[in-house]
Amino acid sequence: MQPAAGRSSDAPAASPGAPHDREALNPADRLQRAQHALLSRRRLSIRLRLVASLLLCFCLCCAFAAAAKDLLGRARGKLNLLQTIERLDDRILRVRAFEDEGILSGTDIDKVLEGARDAEDLFRKEAPALQAADREVLPALLAHLGTCRRLLTAVTTQGRERGGFGVLTPTQAGELRHAEAEANRLLEAMIRRERVSLSAIFRFAETGPLVLVGILLLLFAAITYCFAKALVNPIRRFEGYTSRIAVGDFSLIGPARRYRDEFSDLAVAVNQMLAALQEQQNRLVKGARLAVVGTMTSGIAHELNNPLNNISITAETLMEESTTLTDEDRWRLLQDIYFETERASEIVKSLLDFTRQEKREMVPLELGEIILSTLRLSQNEMNINNVTVAYDVPPDLPRIQGAANQLRQVFLNLFLNAIQAMPSGGVLGVSAAVRDQAGVCVEVHDEGAGIPAEILPRIFDPFFTTKEPGKGTGLGLSVSSSIIKKLGGDIQVASELGKGTTVHVCLPRAEEQ
Amino acid sequence: MPDNTSVMVLDDEPIVGDRLRPALAKGGFDVEIFTDSTAAIERLKQKAFGVLVTDMKMRGPSGMDVLRFVREHAPNTQVIVITGYATIETSHEANALGAYQFVAKPFKMKELVKLVEKASKLTAS
Ligand SMILES: Nc1ncnc2c1ncn2[C@@H]1O[C@H](COP(=O)(O)OP(=O)(O)OP(=O)(O)O)[C@@H](O)[C@H]1O
Ligand SMILES: [Mg+2]
């Protein structure tokens, strides 16, 4: 079936539809909006987090060092105290022993007195460092010590006055003994208690570092986990972006987290790159579209020169034969001129339509309309190559989501490839069918020579062509595939040498409201 | 020897034949018009024309095919080739096949009639 000739109806691209907010924005606004969304989040840079974590670890270590120093100081104080107490205890014991034997030299007593005074001073000074139990008994102890000192001092002064030994009265001696015994008892109890508390300090000093190591281990694990997450996740995400970009999807990156960091800066830069790539791609697509018109020059010239020639010779007839023509003849000739003018302007209009930039992208489209208008565009190429069309696109096909002129460009490339593959004529098969819930597929089939298996993987490469210079730019399939991918579709080529080539184009269905 | 006043016009644009027929008839020629090249070749088998005016690009056999056929079967027929898209290559090819003239569309009818007259004289001599 030949596609019906007639006005190429405007694709729904121009018809007013539900406004697609995202699509209606121009690329610069879209970029600005994406960048704003990325940058308007609270900043929480990885560097800041790194510094904070290290500071936390540092502070923790400092705290432990201070605690260790304090513990050491306490242990030393306790040791000193214990030594003093032990010495005092020992001296009192010795004094008691001498007393028992009745010999107590003046120097001995002086030493004891001095030691006792030192101990008392120390006790007073170290009172806060003592344990509660020790502090309780301290007044009693000091009282006993005071008694001992008083009595012993009395003895010594007596002795000096007399120039010999002083003697205590029996009651005094009894008092002294009792005070000394009590002091010994209290001091020994103190020693016992201080020993217990000292060994507790040592035990704590032994387990402390282990606990510290444990806490640090947990902290390091938590920090490592957080940083691994903050670094690995975005890298994974960016890996996804690069593979997406590699297949021609240039949609901008949006925010994926609540805060922003160095990766957000990277995303901003990538978006900038994507916008530049997109612009370059658009330019390439536009250039290729004009180039494809260039490859049709012979067809277009033919298509235009035929009506122009008809007009010219008809006008010539009118001028030459003005006297001999009947009114009826004249009317017929004028009508010819009128319709041939129409025919020529139709060609110009469809070409202009085709090369025009679209205002809105991604609108629901009738696939049949797109295919028919494209077949009209390539009609002349088919005529001069003796190619006929087998058209099988059901009229009730669901609408697809796309951009009319970009799709026309794709189909024109495919049709021209098919026509050029059949220089001595053949049948160009165009059929379409619903693939599944998500998509509609079009098949473009030709009876040409086919594509050798060794070049099949390269036909989508930009500038790959087997055609002679001037006949093919090698951009046709490369640009077509990038358009289809951008529209969310898929394009595949199957070919059998000597039998022909089939190109499958699948496009996403429009969501029908 | 072909009848030098007989002219065949072959173009798949019907208007070309329509306009050329009266103009050539006025010049004293006996004109036959064809829009289908297969039918034209059939007719060429039956009759030797003095001059053949043919379009280049047509559905079915092209002007070049018709020219080739004429060269084989009616070497005395002069052939004028008209085309909507003239390239150096096609004009060389047509000349190599012995076409009398190569004319690009749009042409002036007066000039074409003059060409046919000249060609027919060539046939006569
Ligand atoms: N239907 C087909 N039959 C046979 N070979 C084909 C077909 N389609 C494409 N090819 C091969 O793939 C190559 C690349 O095609 P592509 O459309 O990208 O570029 P081109 O047709 O050479 O140039 P352009 O499309 O810019 O005029 C062609 O040169 C041709 O060798
Ligand atoms: Mg191509």
Side-chain angles (χ1 to χ4, degrees), chain A residues 305-306 314 316 343 383 386, chain B residues 13 59-60 84 105 109-110:
Chain A
N305 280 336
N306 273 325
T314 308
E316 201 180 337
R343 184 179 153 198
N383 286 348
N386 280 325
Chain B
E13 296 281 328
R59 194 174 296 281
K105 283 184 184 177
M109 253 195 320
K110 244 192 258 170

Side-chain angles (χ1 to χ4, degrees), chain A residues 28 61 85 87 92 96 104 147 156 173 239 282-283 299 307 357 402 404 410-411 434 467-468 471 475:
Chain A
C61 288
I85 299 172
R87 209 160 33 210
I92 295 172
R96 280 171 72 185
L104 202 60
T147 313
T156 22
E239 262 170 23
N282 287 347
R283 232 176 279 153
Q357 195 73 25
V410 171
F411 288 121
V434 176
K467 291 163 194 173
E468 48 194 281
K471 284 254 171 92
L475 282 176

Side-chain angles (χ1 to χ4, degrees), chain A residues 417 421 446 451 459 464-467 471-477 501:
Chain A
N417 279 350
D446 67 61
I451 305 170
I459 58 173
F464 175 79
T465 181
T466 56
K467 291 163 194 173
K471 284 254 171 92
T473 59
L475 282 176
L477 286 177
T501 306

Side-chain angles (χ1 to χ4, degrees), chain A residues 469-501:
Chain A
K471 284 254 171 92
T473 59
L475 282 176
L477 286 177
S478 140
V479 163
S480 299
S481 125
S482 80
I483 290 176
I484 293 296
K485 295 243 168 78
K486 203 181 98 192
L487 299 178
D490 187 35
I491 182 167
Q492 265 161 19
V493 177
S495 188
E496 204 177 327
L497 263 187
K499 286 256 175 75
T501 306

Side-chain angles (χ1 to χ4, degrees), chain A residues 30 50 97 119 216 219 229 278 291 349 382 402 429 460 489 495 512:
Chain A
R30 223 177 298 165
L50 195 65
L216 281 181
L219 191 67
K229 229 179 78 168
Q278 182 67 69
K349 184 179 173 306
M382 290 191 263
F460 285 107
S495 188
E512 305 286 353

